[in-house]
């Protein structure tokens, strides 16, 4: 083995297996396997095909063997909030239901009858989202009580995959915080909260920090893939891994994990669970080394993706950017307005908003792209100001990571509107952060700061100054 690490990075529409190792003081990566992960309909529920996903994990591990690059370490990250229930024999109860399922409709209101959201936020620091794990569990208590009676434990999705690989059950910290049931101060399960909501404490296994070496795969798995790598707990919430890869993070740097959604925030050593923070709808999700990802969910490139699908499906994003640069329309919309979350027609919804506010209507594809880019940048500006208010700090830079870091026009207008330097990259931040966790656990990288320096040396980060027009 040559010190290879395999990051298995799940997104809600696709997943990839990325192999990484350090060579000549740089992090070298290559994609080994990619597969689709969208949910399906089963038993009148929107569910994840867990068995198929796990077979693809094994396929990725086998392909490493086939090319002669067997990883020493393997780590898995996924989106947050979703989980499975296991019975006393370790078998899954029911389906692995997607957060997009409607079973949580009305559950936040049910919870409020037992415990105010203000109290929940004061303890957990997690923003209210109706799909949070705590509300999914309350749905099961109401509609599937027989499942809850049989359940011996709950595992978040990456923890379940780790269990299938190693036979070891555990709960990783960063993903556990997305449940809305972890106390931000103690960084353990808030059993007082769960008891008030009627959620059995037996479901909640001890929480382990990312970077823990879980153990080798079972002999059964080793026989299937042809070798026996060791599983490490990644910062298993994908955004937690992504933020680990922010090369310029520091006391005066904000980040945006940019894709379909934009997750904008900063890294803190202590949570902010004040009433004002709750009103601004910030969340305090757990990060590596028990740092906090103090961030806000902002509508991302979903708006552009939707408009492109409607009026210019054959046009590349680079073409849309060039046309946006040529447009002169200066209208903007509130990109965080719920009307843009899932409209029947994004174009029509943008038109309606602009007409209601007596601004210039877009006409061309370039006009719409310009409106969307400028609207997002305006949201970034407002969020930056709110973060500075809440933290009492001044930030002079914004580091954009993820696929959206390639949107140069958006980077330019973000720098212009916020008055802050924008650093764009890396694009594959989540997989890089996942790999970094393994390298630190293996002693191949000293610590997180050294890892971020390694990523900075290994990736192209473009700089956009505030005076770029």
């Amino acid at each position: 083995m040559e010190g290879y690490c395999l990051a298995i990075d799940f997104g809600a529409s696709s997943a990839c297996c990325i192999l990484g190792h350090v060579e000549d003081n740089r992090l070298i990566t290559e994609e080994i396997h990619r597969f689709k992960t969208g949910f399906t309909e089963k038993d009148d529920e929107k569910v994840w095909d867990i068995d198929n996903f796990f077979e693809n994990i094994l396929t990725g591990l086998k392909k490493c063997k086939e090319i002669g690059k067997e990883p020493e370490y393997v780590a898995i990250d996924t989106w947050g909030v979703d989980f499975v229930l296991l019975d006393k024999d370790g078998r899954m109860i029911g389906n692995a239901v997607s957060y997009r399922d409607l079973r949580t409709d009305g559950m936040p209101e049910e919870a409020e009858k037992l415990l105010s959201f203000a109290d929940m936020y004061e303890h957990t620091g997690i923003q209210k989202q109706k799909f949070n794990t705590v509300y999914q569990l309350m749905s099961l208590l109401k509609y599937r009580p027989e499942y809850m009676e049989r359940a011996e434990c709950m595992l978040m999705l990456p923890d379940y995959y780790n269990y299938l690989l190693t036979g070891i059950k555990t709960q990783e910290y960063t993903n556990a915080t997305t449940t809305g049931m972890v106390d931000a101060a103690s960084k353990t399960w808030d059993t007082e909260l769960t008891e008030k909501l009627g959620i059995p404490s037996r479901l909640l296994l001890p929480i382990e920090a990312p970077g823990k070496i879980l153990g080798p795969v079972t002999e059964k798995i080793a026989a299937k893939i042809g070798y026996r790598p060791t599983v490490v707990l990644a910062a298993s919430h994908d955004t937690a891994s992504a933020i680990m890869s922010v090369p310029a993070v520091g006391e005066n740097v904000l980040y945006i994990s940019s894709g379909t959604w934009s997750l904008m925030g900063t890294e803190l050593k202590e949570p902010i669970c004040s009433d004002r923070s709750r009103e601004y709808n910030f969340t305090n999700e757990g990060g590596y080394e028990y740092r906090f990802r103090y961030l806000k969910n902002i509508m991302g490139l979903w708006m552009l993706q939707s408009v492109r699908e409607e009026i210019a499906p054959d046009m590349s994003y680079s073409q849309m950017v060039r046309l946006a640069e040529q447009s002169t329309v200066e209208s903007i919309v509130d990109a965080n307005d719920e009307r843009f979350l899932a409209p029947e027609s994004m174009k029509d919804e943008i038109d309606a908003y602009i007409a209601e506010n007596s601004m210039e209507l877009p006409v061309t594809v370039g006009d719409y792209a310009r409106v969307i880019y400028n609207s997002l940048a305006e949201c970034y500006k407002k969020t930056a100001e709110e973060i500075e208010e809440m933290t009492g700090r001044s930030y002079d830079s914004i580091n954009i990571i993820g696929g959206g870091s390639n949107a140069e026009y958006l980077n330019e207008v973000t720098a212009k509107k916020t008055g802050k330097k924008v650093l764009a990259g890396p694009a594959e931040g989540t997989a890089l952060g996942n790999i970094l966790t393994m390298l630190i656990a293996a002693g191949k990288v000293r610590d997180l700061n050294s890892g971020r320096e390694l990523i900075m040396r290994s990736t192209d980060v473009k700089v956009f100054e505030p005076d770029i027009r």
Side-chain angles (χ1 to χ4, degrees):
M1 296 184 183
E2 299 294 333
Y4 290 108
C5 297
L6 185 69
I8 301 172
D9 170 28
F10 276 83
S13 59
S14 69
C16 59
C17 301
I18 305 290
L19 198 64
H21 71 286
V22 177
E23 183 178 314
D24 295 330
N25 212 23
R26 292 173 64 87
L27 180 57
I28 310 298
T29 61
E30 62 179 304
E31 182 177 305
I32 301 301
H33 181 53
R34 184 173 290 270
F35 55 98
K36 294 182 178 180
T37 59
F39 61 82
T40 59
E41 298 283 345
K42 181 181 179 183
D43 303 328
D44 294 323
E45 294 177 322
K46 294 178 173 62
V47 305
W48 305 112
D49 190 347
I50 292 290
D51 293 338
N52 176 56
F53 295 171
F54 188 67
E55 285 303 312
N56 273 282
I57 289 174
L58 297 182
T59 296
L61 289 164
K62 291 174 185 176
K63 285 185 176 181
C64 293
K65 172 76 172 179
E66 292 169 3
I67 64 174
K69 297 179 179 179
E70 302 171 14
E72 291 184 63
Y73 300 97
V74 178
I76 301 173
D77 66 79
T78 76
W79 57 89
V81 307
D82 285 345
F83 63 93
V84 299
L85 296 178
L86 300 184
D87 66 16
K88 61 182 178 61
D89 297 315
R91 292 176 300 204
M92 193 169 80
I93 300 171
N95 298 316
V97 180
S98 167
Y99 65 89
R100 291 189 182 274
D101 191 82
L102 298 179
R103 65 178 178 170
T104 55
D105 284 0
M107 288 302 109
E109 292 74 19
E110 290 294 315
E112 289 263 10
K113 296 175 183 178
L114 304 171
L115 183 65
S116 74
F117 178 67
D119 286 341
M120 292 177 69
Y121 189 87
E122 182 181 1
H123 284 254
T124 68
I126 299 299
Q127 68 187 130
K128 183 190 292 185
Q129 303 268 28
K130 73 171 186 177
F131 49 68
N132 286 351
T133 313
V134 63
Y135 300 128
Q136 293 195 46
L137 288 170
M138 291 198 67
S139 173
L140 289 176
L141 285 170
K142 183 171 184 176
Y143 299 114
R144 299 281 191 177
E146 69 278 12
Y147 286 4
M148 297 293 274
E149 290 172 5
R150 289 172 50 204
E152 189 72 16
C153 71
M154 174 190 79
L155 291 180
M156 305 303 285
L157 291 190
D159 298 319
Y160 181 60
Y161 298 132
N162 290 335
Y163 166 64
L164 295 178
L165 287 173
T166 67
I168 300 171
K169 301 173 187 173
T170 191
Q171 292 277 18
E172 186 275 327
Y173 170 68
T174 68
N175 218 311
T177 64
T178 72
T179 64
M181 300 186 295
V182 173
D183 183 87
S186 67
K187 302 172 181 62
T188 58
W189 297 113
D190 190 329
T191 53
E192 180 181 346
L193 179 153
T194 55
E195 286 173 5
K196 287 181 179 178
L197 297 177
I199 296 169
S201 59
R202 71 175 184 279
L203 301 181
L204 310 175
L205 300 178
I207 295 174
E208 299 284 358
K212 177 183 174 63
I213 296 177
L214 199 59
V217 300
T218 63
E219 292 183 2
K220 180 180 179 181
I221 295 296
K224 287 184 177 182
I225 64 176
Y227 59 104
R228 199 172 190 189
T230 295
V231 175
V232 174
L233 291 184
S236 68
H237 184 222
D238 52 6
T239 308
S241 276
I243 300 314
M244 288 182 68
S245 77
V246 176
V249 78
E251 291 295 311
N252 64 339
V253 178
L254 299 171
Y255 60 74
I256 301 175
S257 181
S258 177
T260 301
W261 288 86
S262 295
L263 304 171
M264 185 174 185
T266 189
E267 191 173 73
L268 300 178
K269 293 183 179 178
E270 299 294 334
I272 301 176
C273 302
S274 65
D275 289 342
R276 188 64 167 165
S277 177
R278 172 171 51 82
E279 291 165 2
Y280 275 150
N281 207 30
F282 280 101
T283 198
N284 296 267
E285 295 174 346
Y288 187 77
E289 293 182 337
Y290 294 113
R291 304 173 188 219
F292 288 90
R293 293 171 284 132
Y294 187 66
L295 60 84
K296 176 176 284 192
N297 289 305
I298 300 171
M299 189 75 71
L301 295 174
W302 154 251
M303 295 178 72
L304 188 67
Q305 294 162 358
S306 298
V307 167
R308 174 179 175 269
E309 186 67 25
E310 282 186 61
I311 64 177
D314 297 326
M315 184 176 290
S316 69
Y317 288 112
S318 60
Q319 287 176 297
M320 294 181 76
V321 167
R322 286 196 295 272
L323 293 173
E325 292 172 332
Q326 296 167 13
S327 172
T328 59
V329 174
E330 296 299 332
S331 303
I332 61 170
V333 301
D334 179 1
N336 273 344
D337 194 308
E338 287 191 1
R339 67 196 296 170
F340 301 119
L341 187 61
E344 291 185 12
S345 168
M346 185 67 73
K347 173 186 174 297
D348 291 348
E349 205 64 55
I350 290 172
D351 288 346
Y353 184 100
I354 290 175
E356 291 164 14
N357 290 275
S358 303
M359 294 181 286
E360 181 182 1
L361 283 170
V363 177
T364 68
V365 175
D367 292 343
Y368 282 98
R370 187 180 183 90
V371 167
I372 292 167
Y373 283 134
N374 279 279
S375 299
L376 290 175
E378 194 67 34
C379 278
Y380 297 162
K381 175 187 176 183
K382 181 181 178 183
T383 301
E385 291 169 349
E386 292 172 350
I387 293 173
E388 289 182 332
E389 176 191 339
M390 295 309 307
T391 62
R393 296 179 185 173
S394 177
Y395 299 87
D396 59 21
S397 300
I398 301 173
N399 199 148
I400 302 178
I401 59 173
S405 65
N406 294 321
E408 293 199 4
Y409 178 72
L410 178 56
N411 298 336
E412 291 175 3
V413 295
T414 297
K416 179 180 177 180
K417 284 184 177 290
T418 63
K420 303 179 189 299
K421 180 169 65 176
V422 168
L423 302 102
E428 290 289 345
T430 304
L432 293 177
N434 182 318
I435 291 169
L436 186 55
T437 308
M438 291 182 275
L439 292 172
I440 295 172
K444 300 177 188 296
V445 170
R446 185 173 67 252
D447 53 26
L448 180 57
N449 288 336
S450 299
R452 283 171 166 159
E453 291 171 1
L454 172 65
I455 289 173
M456 179 68 91
R457 291 193 300 272
S458 307
T459 57
D460 293 325
V461 176
K462 293 184 178 180
V463 178
F464 299 82
E465 297 291 348
D467 59 351
I468 289 179
R469 297 182 181 274

